[in-house]
Amino acid sequence: QSAIIRTFALSFAASLRLTAWAAGPPGNGQAPRTQGAPKAGACSPATQVTQLAYNNVRAVIENGGNMWTRRGGSGRSGYEVPKTDDFSGANAIYAGGLWMGGLSSAGQLRLAAVLYRANGNDFWPGPLSTVDASVTPDICQTYDRFWITQRAEAETHLQWARCVNDPECDVTQLFPNGYSVPTAFLQWPAIGDVEAGQDLYIAPFFDADEDGQYNPYSGDYPDYGFEQTVEDCKNKQASDPVSLFGDYNIWWIFNDKGDVHTETQGLPIGLEVRAQAFAFSANNEINNMTFYNYTVINRGSQTLTNTYFGSFVDGDLGCSNDDFTGCDVRRGLGYIYNWDDVDEGCLGAVGYGGPAPPPPAIGVDFFEGPYQDADGVDNPGPA
């Protein structure tokens, strides 16, 4: 049997000068046990596309393991900062995606990764069976979507629920125009299909009445961690559920078992990935950043060794002909910058201009990496 869970988080910061690195909230996940050998499904490729455009960034998100490319005809970059209404400004990133791989007990390389999804797919929507890491086409189709919530809605819902359960609180006075549970809360995929082998709990939710079920009319809501204390955050373990982050949150779930890996030609792993893309609205550098959190669960029957997690980032900072890359080791920050003072347009892309303010740059930071195994051994490096 093998079930590992790894949660890691990314942030992307861009401005017309090199921005400072971003620290962000932690995330954790739940690690169920698995049995049996992984089986490939026959799912259709993921189709859904949305945008994270809550602050000063407009970022294209897809649910096939990739993001930041406007693939539907224009083939242009899809990470615009500062954002416009129609992607008519300069863009900073052309494409990105998850890369994960390792060696099986038999020494076989198992790999799930995407570049531009131009040649195939390695990821499909939906959760996997905890029994044999399988998924069916109907499950893939059901989860071929995003779930979008806002922190302010959750705060209002919590206020309503507390008032309803407080005999001294007048709901009509607190909500003179009435209160309706947000549609996003009613559609929230909190509970999995246990008969199909899925986890009982899928998307995070706060269980107000502690009955183990999800019912927004009873006060339950997508969990933004309002009830967590500082000590809870300090003592989080890899097996703890992951709360939602940000002021605006996009949540989705995907796997690498929906079909044959036609992007990398790699052998599947049996991964279930619970993803978040989120942003904050602020009056500082955070307004130029987006954040991503991934809870990665190995539903496969084998423990992988020599395992690597990474995020492929193809930066096109305005005109891509004059982009350089660098690394700030002290901050753990990778960055892309313009080599001269003026970023002209080229190849149909809009440039950032110049010479003032300073030439553009964008940073990529893993501000939380995978958890180490809780084996009591100080072994962060190779055995």
Side-chain angles (χ1 to χ4, degrees):
Q1 297 182 351
S2 172
I4 63 170
I5 189 163
R6 291 294 182 264
T7 302
F8 55 100
L10 301 165
S11 70
F12 293 84
S15 95
L16 297 185
R17 59 179 179 271
L18 181 63
T19 60
W21 67 297
N28 300 296
Q30 185 179 4
R33 303 298 298 174
T34 64
Q35 297 179 347
K39 301 176 182 178
C43 293
S44 299
T47 65
Q48 295 303 298
V49 181
T50 189
Q51 293 182 16
L52 179 61
Y54 185 76
N55 53 18
N56 200 35
V57 183
R58 182 178 298 278
V60 171
I61 309 293
E62 296 192 51
N63 62 343
N66 62 305
M67 57 186 71
W68 307 319
T69 303
R70 289 179 283 158
R71 296 191 303 126
S74 69
R76 295 293 184 184
S77 302
Y79 193 96
E80 183 187 48
V81 53
K83 72 180 181 185
T84 65
D85 292 334
D86 57 359
F87 273 116
S88 59
N91 283 258
I93 306 177
Y94 176 71
L98 288 179
W99 289 6
M100 295 173 282
L103 297 179
S104 70
S105 57
Q108 293 178 312
L109 175 63
R110 295 187 173 270
L111 178 65
V114 291
L115 284 167
Y116 312 105
R117 286 184 66 200
N119 299 317
N121 297 276
D122 274 22
F123 295 107
W124 294 263
L128 295 177
S129 167
T130 63
V131 178
D132 59 4
S134 65
V135 66
T136 61
D138 59 324
I139 291 176
C140 289
Q141 184 176 10
T142 298
Y143 284 88
D144 189 10
R145 58 165 297 180
F146 296 97
W147 288 265
I148 298 174
T149 60
Q150 296 190 47
R151 181 184 181 91
E153 290 180 334
E155 290 173 335
T156 301
H157 188 79
L158 177 59
Q159 187 181 27
W160 167 79
R162 286 176 173 174
C163 186
V164 168
N165 292 299
D166 182 357
E168 299 182 0
C169 183
D170 186 350
V171 177
T172 60
Q173 184 177 6
L174 188 61
F175 297 93
N177 297 320
Y179 177 76
S180 297
V181 176
T183 301
F185 290 12
L186 299 176
Q187 298 177 350
W188 189 244
I191 305 299
D193 186 348
V194 178
E195 293 184 0
Q198 299 169 13
D199 261 350
L200 174 60
Y201 301 117
I202 302 292
F205 72 97
F206 179 74
D207 189 2
D209 54 7
E210 299 182 346
D211 66 348
Q213 300 298 314
Y214 178 70
N215 182 3
Y217 293 112
S218 297
D220 302 345
Y221 57 90
D223 187 12
Y224 275 83
F226 298 146
E227 305 296 328
Q228 293 181 5
T229 65
V230 173
E231 288 302 315
D232 291 335
C233 293
K234 289 181 179 179
N235 297 323
K236 269 188 173 293
Q237 303 295 319
S239 59
D240 293 336
V242 182
S243 300
L244 300 178
F245 304 125
D247 294 323
Y248 184 94
N249 185 286
I250 302 171
W251 191 94
W252 70 106
I253 184 168
F254 58 98
N255 67 81
D256 83 319
K257 289 302 307 298
D259 210 330
V260 178
H261 288 202
T262 51
E263 174 86 356
T264 63
Q265 308 301 320
L267 293 174
I269 301 171
L271 295 179
E272 177 178 307
V273 183
R274 302 176 182 185
Q276 299 182 43
F278 55 100
F280 300 88
S281 180
N283 58 4
N284 54 26
E285 288 82 359
I286 298 294
N287 210 47
N288 291 329
M289 301 180 186
T290 60
F291 301 82
Y292 307 84
N293 180 277
Y294 301 96
T295 298
V296 181
I297 305 171
N298 180 7
R299 301 286 191 200
S301 60
Q302 300 183 46
T303 298
L304 300 185
T305 60
N306 297 317
T307 305
Y308 287 86
F309 298 81
S311 181
F312 157 64
V313 180
D314 181 358
D316 283 357
L317 195 60
C319 173
S320 60
N321 287 346
D322 54 4
D323 292 348
F324 280 13
T325 62
C327 180
D328 187 328
V329 177
R330 194 172 183 180
R331 290 190 171 101
L333 178 76
Y335 56 88
I336 301 165
Y337 64 99
N338 214 65
W339 81 276
D340 58 2
D341 289 339
V342 179
D343 179 45
E344 301 89 352
C346 72
L347 304 175
V350 177
Y352 276 96
I362 185 165
V364 180
D365 179 26
F366 265 92
F367 59 78
E368 182 184 62
Y371 281 86
Q372 284 183 241
D373 293 321
D375 55 6
V377 179
D378 183 16
N379 56 354

